[in-house]
Amino acid sequence: MTPPEGPVAGEDAEAAGCLAAVSCVSVLAKRADFLRAARARRQGTPGFLLQARLREAGEPADGIRIGFTCSKKIGNAVTRNRAKRRLREIARMVIPAHGREGWDYVLVGRPAATVERPFDVLLADLENALSRVHAQRHKEAGP
């Protein structure tokens, strides 16, 4: 049995078009990044909540960044970890193709639904949520 291929990095990622490359997507780790995403655009789905924001020009990170969170409302540690694994997998499959460069995305698990919802439906939910988030227009400042 051969081990699975690792992430594509550097010039190989560019040659692969970055669609199958895990290195194009980095993971959010700082609380401040999660808080900024929470104040930005939101799109709810039955299986999870998607929070998304376009990073400002002065922010140093390039590419797409994504974070995952599941509160204790989801259930015990085993259930929360399963929910996060499912969210990571749908993000791995959808974000490189449908996400946009310079955006931060946070997937927030929902009690019961994230773990129990069929996987193919979760994939479709993320694709629809991304298209809706990117279709939203910025609100213009009023007088």
Side-chain angles (χ1 to χ4, degrees), residues 63-65 95 98-105 130-131 134-135:
I64 299 170
R65 299 190 311 177
I95 295 286
H98 297 283
R100 292 192 182 169
E101 187 84 12
W103 282 73
D104 288 346
Y105 302 101
L130 285 170
S131 65
H134 293 304

Side-chain angles (χ1 to χ4, degrees), residues 17-42:
C18 229
L19 289 179
V22 177
S23 63
C24 295
V25 178
S26 58
V27 178
L28 291 175
K30 295 184 179 179
R31 184 173 189 268
D33 292 330
F34 281 88
L35 293 175
R36 280 193 287 270
R39 288 190 304 265
R41 299 177 184 184
R42 293 181 185 160

Side-chain angles (χ1 to χ4, degrees), residues 14-113:
E14 294 172 10
C18 229
L19 289 179
V22 177
S23 63
C24 295
V25 178
S26 58
V27 178
L28 291 175
K30 295 184 179 179
R31 184 173 189 268
D33 292 330
F34 281 88
L35 293 175
R36 280 193 287 270
R39 288 190 304 265
R41 299 177 184 184
R42 293 181 185 160
Q43 182 61 52
T45 69
F48 57 88
L49 171 69
L50 173 68
Q51 300 170 337
R53 77 176 190 101
L54 178 61
R55 289 191 302 274
E56 296 176 13
E59 294 185 60
D62 293 330
I64 299 170
R65 299 190 311 177
I66 187 157
F68 308 93
T69 184
C70 292
S71 72
K72 288 188 177 183
K73 292 179 185 177
I74 301 287
N76 62 17
V78 173
T79 306
R80 289 193 308 272
N81 288 335
R82 181 163 190 240
K84 282 193 276 189
R85 281 194 308 271
R86 294 188 74 177
L87 292 175
R88 278 193 295 268
E89 185 61 16
I90 64 168
R92 185 191 67 79
M93 296 175 78
V94 174
I95 295 286
H98 297 283
R100 292 192 182 169
E101 187 84 12
W103 282 73
D104 288 346
Y105 302 101
V106 175
L107 293 170
V108 182
R110 291 191 187 264

